[in-house]
Amino acid sequence: DAKTTQPPSMDCAEGRAANLPCNHSTISGNEYVYWYRQIHSQGPQYIIHGLKNNETNEMASLIITEDRKSSTLILPHATLRDTAVYYCIVRVAYRRNNNDMRFGAGTRLTVKP
Amino acid sequence: DTEVTQTPKHLVMGMTNKKSLKCEQHMGHRAMYWYKQKAKKPPELMFVYSYEKLSINESVPSRFSPECPNSSLLNLHLHALQPEDSALYLCASSQVGGGNQPQHFGDGTRLSIL
């Protein structure tokens, strides 16, 4: 699976949009981009994933560049409860009987009042 | 609230003890996972089960013994652990079949080895 690069930390003001970047320059055409977050003392929480097109759900939006070498997770109106470590992960689309997922170091997002 | 339930939430054990961690899900998922997470580090994959069969063992020491007795249950048996095994142990589940299936995580068991 392709490697990802994220900034180690970011700050965001409460109520503003949080834009978290991820670089995955070696991504293959059959690899998905996933985002998870982990709030202190909890398990990782699935946020969103996509292959080529931009995706939106009730939590966030995922913008993938046309060449698919990078992506941005957007939290449209960050709240203090969005303070967490955010992981960008690349996973191959299909691997029979093998659904492993590997975490990188992630970005620690701090939302400030 | 999480749909993957892990018990116990906390466990303290001596190096000579035998204990087990339990993970349960009722989402019909046929892939289940164990991860280990040290403080301030990302989760590290330990084991993957697909259709109740072990498909990945990330060279985990034999003092950790996984078991998947049925499609809803995953256990991790612990024996003769070392202090460096103190960590958060996370369980996850997903549909089998590929990268389009998100994993769902429990909140983990925090293990301390005395």
Side-chain angles (χ1 to χ4, degrees):
Chain A
D1 296 345
K3 182 178 169 60
T4 61
T5 303
Q6 298 177 254
S9 64
M10 293 181 63
D11 291 341
C12 177
E14 187 178 21
R16 304 297 293 269
N19 296 280
L20 292 94
C22 180
N23 181 287
H24 31 78
S25 57
T26 60
I27 194 169
S28 301
N30 66 343
E31 290 182 312
Y32 284 87
V33 179
Y34 271 78
W35 284 84
Y36 280 78
R37 73 180 182 184
Q38 189 172 21
I39 296 168
H40 183 60
S41 297
Q42 296 182 17
Q45 178 188 23
Y46 165 75
I47 301 173
I48 199 167
H49 74 285
L51 185 62
K52 295 179 183 177
N53 299 321
N54 298 338
E55 302 287 344
T56 295
N57 62 21
E58 64 278 4
M59 288 182 67
S61 294
L62 173 61
I63 307 300
I64 303 174
T65 59
E66 192 168 343
D67 64 8
R68 302 187 67 243
K69 293 181 184 237
S70 65
S71 61
T72 301
L73 178 75
I74 301 173
L75 307 179
H77 305 286
T79 71
L80 299 179
R81 287 179 293 180
D82 291 321
T83 293
V85 178
Y86 287 77
Y87 296 102
C88 170
I89 302 166
V90 171
R91 296 180 70 198
V92 69
Y94 181 78
R95 187 182 291 147
R96 183 170 174 267
N97 287 337
N98 186 338
N99 289 345
D100 62 308
M101 186 167 71
R102 315 299 168 123
F103 287 79
T107 296
R108 182 172 298 277
L109 175 69
T110 303
V111 180
K112 298 186 173 181
Chain B
D1 288 344
T2 177
E3 296 168 307
V4 176
T5 303
Q6 293 189 242
T7 54
K9 293 192 184 304
H10 301 275
L11 179 62
V12 179
M13 57 187 287
M15 288 190 286
T16 58
N17 292 156
K18 287 184 180 180
K19 296 285 186 183
S20 297
L21 309 185
K22 179 180 172 181
C23 174
E24 197 164 6
Q25 57 88 15
H26 295 287
M27 294 178 281
H29 292 166
R30 301 299 296 276
M32 297 187 77
Y33 314 79
W34 281 114
Y35 290 82
K36 173 182 177 180
Q37 186 174 26
K38 301 284 281 183
K40 299 189 186 302
K41 297 291 187 182
E44 295 177 4
L45 185 67
M46 298 174 72
F47 302 105
V48 179
Y49 274 83
S50 292
Y51 299 109
E52 296 84 66
K53 293 191 188 316
L54 184 65
S55 61
I56 294 179
N57 176 341
E58 288 289 292
S59 302
V60 179
S62 60
R63 57 186 184 269
F64 295 91
S65 176
E67 178 196 21
C68 191
N70 60 58
S71 60
S72 300
L73 193 57
L74 184 67
N75 297 320
L76 186 62
H77 303 297
L78 314 172
H79 174 57
L81 295 194
Q82 303 297 309
E84 61 266 26
D85 297 322
S86 297
L88 180 68
Y89 289 84
L90 294 161
C91 173
S93 71
S94 75
Q95 299 286 1
V96 176
N100 198 26
Q101 307 294 345
Q103 292 185 14
H104 299 260
F105 285 80
D107 283 335
T109 294
R110 190 162 299 280
L111 177 66
S112 298
I113 307 299
L114 300 179

